[in-house]
Amino acid sequence: MRLSRYFLPVLKETPADAQIVSHRYMLRAGMIRQASAGIYSWLPLGFKVLRKIEQIVHEEQQRAGHIPMLMPTLQSADLWRQSGRYDAYGPEMLRISDRHDREMLYGPTNEEMITDIVASYVTSYKALPLTLYHIQWKFRDEVRPRFGVMRGREFLMKDGYNFDLTKEDALHAYNRHLVSYLRTYERMGLQAIPMRADSGPIGGDYTHEFLVLAETGESEVFYDSEITDLKFGDREIDFDDKAQCQAVLEEFTSRYARTDETHEEAVFNEVPEARRRSARGIEVGQIFYFGTEYSEKLGAYVQDSAGAKVPLHMGSHGIGVSRLLGAIIEASHDDKGIIWPEGVTPFHVGIVNLKQGDAEADGACESLYSAFTDLGLEPLYDDRDERAGNKFANMDMIGLPWRITVGPRGLKNGVVELTSRRTGESEELPPEEAVKRVAEIYAGL
Ligand code: 5CA
């Protein structure tokens, strides 16, 4: 993309009402624009990152054997009456009536709808196990929408639902989700710690929240510091292998790690004092197993192998897709702007032309641009007739992890400058070498 032809409204001023850094930087980097309280338009740069995050979520869900689909945002109140949640959900639910005065709502989640779908088609245990998911906008009329995309009213969520014959199978689905989430967040450059949590209005006995540690997090958390040494890395997992998933779950959940809702001082005090931490965290996902409650209320039964009619065991599993942008920025920024992890960066590399209009500099930038494009990488080329200082400040704000600076002086010596946004370190290299270096960095992702 050439910046002169893009739509990237970078702001110089810090927006007055943005309280936390991710919100400020998303506004300043021209990623989002507030439409009304807790509702945002995704401008091109923000939309690009949102899509990258979605893509990682899709890949990791499907790696675990889960099936993508799409349900609508608007739902009928009837299903929610069957589950008993129409009244229970309270003022957070946005209720709408259509021209025929039919009661509708903007879905805050989809347990009812997916259970109704499965109840309509699945009649035999042979169709199980089954996990369906979608990535769809949700609406919750939060009392205090704040911190930009972190606590929105309209927000994008991955919500997945497992349907199993037995509790044991459903707990395997629970474990499978926990394991696949570990890898999902790591690919985004995040450490998200599974913590024992409270099930809230979704209900159920088993639930973990995934928290990214950050001072601006809304949740208070308590954990054993050993947990932050754990890495999932690129281990190969057979997601059908119950023992393997169980072992990973145990590895990542056996140490103390809880939100304030489940925190028990006495149990925490058994952790050696030097390892006890209390901190704040951003909840980027939550998984639940809740048994047969929804299946019974919405009629999701199958015949088991003996011919008996039994309700399905279910769980639901959410990832805060739009919130993740805020969480990633909270975890990765400096005073100049965002620092995108390579896995989610909107463009792979920035090209800064120090002397627009200089035939040699323009030519070198164009060659770099085609070299990257030919390799399937996306460069953002700042080809505007702007002062170098402005170009650098913009690049730093939008946070591309790698920048190549091209100027007549370097070109005389046959070199361009490759700079890491994270470390600020620069290296002079021939242009082909710089391309090779950047390509290698992204090759493994
Ligand atoms: N049905 C279940 C799982 S699919 C569910 O709704 N879970 S949830 O309530 O925990 O939401 C899943 C994730 O969505 C949360 O972990 C959080 O990351 C994100 N989320 C929830 N509320 C908001 C909000 N108001 N703004 C942005 N993200 C949110």
Side-chain angles (χ1 to χ4, degrees), residues 173-423:
Y174 183 89
N175 299 351
R176 204 172 59 226
H177 279 88
L178 189 139
V179 174
S180 99
Y181 279 22
L182 292 170
R183 185 179 164 115
T184 303
Y185 296 120
E186 275 190 19
R187 279 189 63 187
M188 298 172 191
L190 285 176
Q191 178 165 45
I193 305 171
M195 300 201 180
R196 201 197 286 184
D198 186 51
S199 61
I202 309 280
D205 301 333
Y206 293 79
T207 180
H208 280 91
E209 283 179 7
F210 284 76
L211 286 117
V212 173
L213 299 175
E215 278 166 30
T216 47
E218 291 187 293
S219 317
E220 193 178 8
V221 299
F222 302 86
Y223 63 95
D224 176 342
S225 66
E226 273 191 358
I227 220 162
T228 55
D229 299 333
L230 297 174
K231 295 271 174 305
F232 184 77
D234 52 8
R235 17 180 143 175
E236 288 291 329
I237 296 283
D238 175 356
F239 282 98
D240 292 331
D241 185 333
K242 288 184 175 168
Q244 212 183 355
C245 290
Q246 176 75 30
V248 177
L249 174 126
E250 279 167 16
E251 180 186 343
F252 281 83
T253 60
S254 58
R255 293 175 186 76
Y256 194 94
R258 300 198 195 177
T259 63
D260 52 0
E261 293 151 343
T262 55
H263 179 57
E264 284 174 279
E265 203 63 34
V267 187
F268 190 45
N269 286 339
E270 288 165 19
V271 178
E273 193 171 357
R275 298 201 326 238
R276 267 180 249 154
R277 299 279 185 284
S278 75
R280 304 204 62 87
I282 302 166
E283 182 205 321
V284 291
Q286 186 162 10
I287 56 175
F288 303 87
Y289 160 73
F290 45 68
T292 57
E293 188 190 329
Y294 288 93
S295 309
E296 286 174 34
K297 287 184 172 146
L298 291 146
Y301 289 79
V302 293
Q303 295 223 310
D304 68 12
S305 57
K309 212 174 150 207
V310 293
L312 294 174
H313 285 262
M314 282 180 67
S316 72
H317 316 275
I319 292 182
V321 174
S322 49
R323 175 179 287 184
L324 273 165
L325 276 92
I328 293 169
I329 297 171
E330 289 297 325
S332 183
H333 68 268
D334 62 14
D335 55 6
K336 293 190 220 136
I338 302 165
I339 307 174
W340 291 116
E342 272 91 358
V344 297
T345 183
F347 294 95
H348 297 104
V349 56
I351 302 172
V352 170
N353 188 343
L354 291 179
K355 200 158 184 206
Q356 209 67 45
D358 175 275
E360 233 191 308
D362 291 0
C365 288
E366 290 297 335
S367 315
L368 284 167
Y369 191 90
S370 348
F372 282 121
T373 312
D374 291 348
L375 288 167
L377 294 173
E378 280 188 289
L380 179 66
Y381 170 24
D382 192 344
D383 60 342
R384 297 168 309 158
D385 190 11
E386 271 280 345
R387 283 185 22 238
N390 283 348
K391 292 190 176 186
F392 289 140
N394 272 359
M395 281 290 177
D396 285 343
M397 175 52 65
I398 68 171
L400 310 184
W402 298 94
R403 184 185 81 206
I404 297 181
T405 310
V406 180
R409 210 177 310 155
L411 288 175
K412 277 211 180 68
N413 303 318
V415 294
V416 295
E417 194 183 56
L418 177 65
T419 307
S420 155
R421 174 69 183 84
R422 190 168 292 280
T423 65

Side-chain angles (χ1 to χ4, degrees), residues 20-311:
I20 62 171
V21 71
S22 56
H23 189 194
R24 279 200 293 279
Y25 284 172
M26 286 183 81
L27 292 168
R28 286 195 56 193
M31 297 176 67
I32 52 169
R33 179 176 167 83
Q34 184 174 310
S36 54
I39 304 180
Y40 292 87
S41 293
W42 293 81
L43 304 182
L45 192 75
F47 183 56
K48 231 163 173 320
V49 181
L50 191 69
R51 281 281 181 260
K52 288 229 166 167
I53 291 174
E54 273 187 84
Q55 182 60 29
I56 292 176
V57 172
H58 273 302
E59 285 172 16
E60 295 307 323
Q61 283 301 301
Q62 288 168 55
R63 190 195 299 277
H66 307 158
I67 307 168
M69 62 179 293
L70 187 61
M71 290 175 272
T73 53
L74 293 184
Q75 305 187 21
S76 144
D78 295 345
L79 284 175
W80 287 73
R81 290 217 171 80
Q82 284 181 48
S83 73
R85 286 208 293 180
Y86 190 61
D87 294 324
Y89 224 95
E92 262 194 23
M93 179 181 272
L94 179 65
R95 295 155 210 261
I96 307 161
S97 52
D98 69 10
R99 66 197 298 164
H100 306 293
D101 284 332
R102 280 189 208 108
E103 289 174 275
M104 313 280 293
L105 57 102
Y106 195 125
T109 177
N110 285 67
E111 279 82 1
E112 285 77 359
M113 189 176 279
I114 192 77
T115 309
D116 179 58
I117 291 171
V118 169
S120 306
Y121 298 107
V122 176
T123 52
S124 159
Y125 73 97
K126 289 180 188 152
L128 308 176
L130 180 63
T131 295
L132 298 163
Y133 78 92
H134 71 164
I135 299 181
Q136 177 62 292
W137 294 94
K138 304 289 186 287
F139 196 95
R140 293 182 187 173
D141 206 351
E142 302 273 352
V143 197
R144 281 190 69 197
R146 57 183 185 155
F147 301 160
V149 300
M150 290 278 215
R151 182 159 298 279
R153 292 199 297 164
E154 188 184 50
F155 59 97
L156 192 59
M157 193 202 284
K158 185 289 290 190
D159 41 326
Y161 305 87
N162 68 285
F163 296 88
D164 288 280
L165 184 62
T166 62
K167 177 171 180 181
E168 188 209 328
D169 286 353
L171 289 179
H172 171 55
Y174 183 89
N175 299 351
R176 204 172 59 226
H177 279 88
L178 189 139
V179 174
S180 99
Y181 279 22
L182 292 170
R183 185 179 164 115
T184 303
Y185 296 120
E186 275 190 19
R187 279 189 63 187
M188 298 172 191
L190 285 176
Q191 178 165 45
I193 305 171
M195 300 201 180
R196 201 197 286 184
D198 186 51
S199 61
I202 309 280
D205 301 333
Y206 293 79
T207 180
H208 280 91
E209 283 179 7
F210 284 76
L211 286 117
V212 173
L213 299 175
E215 278 166 30
T216 47
E218 291 187 293
S219 317
E220 193 178 8
V221 299
F222 302 86
Y223 63 95
D224 176 342
S225 66
E226 273 191 358
I227 220 162
T228 55
D229 299 333
L230 297 174
K231 295 271 174 305
F232 184 77
D234 52 8
R235 17 180 143 175
E236 288 291 329
I237 296 283
D238 175 356
F239 282 98
D240 292 331
D241 185 333
K242 288 184 175 168
Q244 212 183 355
C245 290
Q246 176 75 30
V248 177
L249 174 126
E250 279 167 16
E251 180 186 343
F252 281 83
T253 60
S254 58
R255 293 175 186 76
Y256 194 94
R258 300 198 195 177
T259 63
D260 52 0
E261 293 151 343
T262 55
H263 179 57
E264 284 174 279
E265 203 63 34
V267 187
F268 190 45
N269 286 339
E270 288 165 19
V271 178
E273 193 171 357
R275 298 201 326 238
R276 267 180 249 154
R277 299 279 185 284
S278 75
R280 304 204 62 87
I282 302 166
E283 182 205 321
V284 291
Q286 186 162 10
I287 56 175
F288 303 87
Y289 160 73
F290 45 68
T292 57
E293 188 190 329
Y294 288 93
S295 309
E296 286 174 34
K297 287 184 172 146
L298 291 146
Y301 289 79
V302 293
Q303 295 223 310
D304 68 12
S305 57
K309 212 174 150 207
V310 293

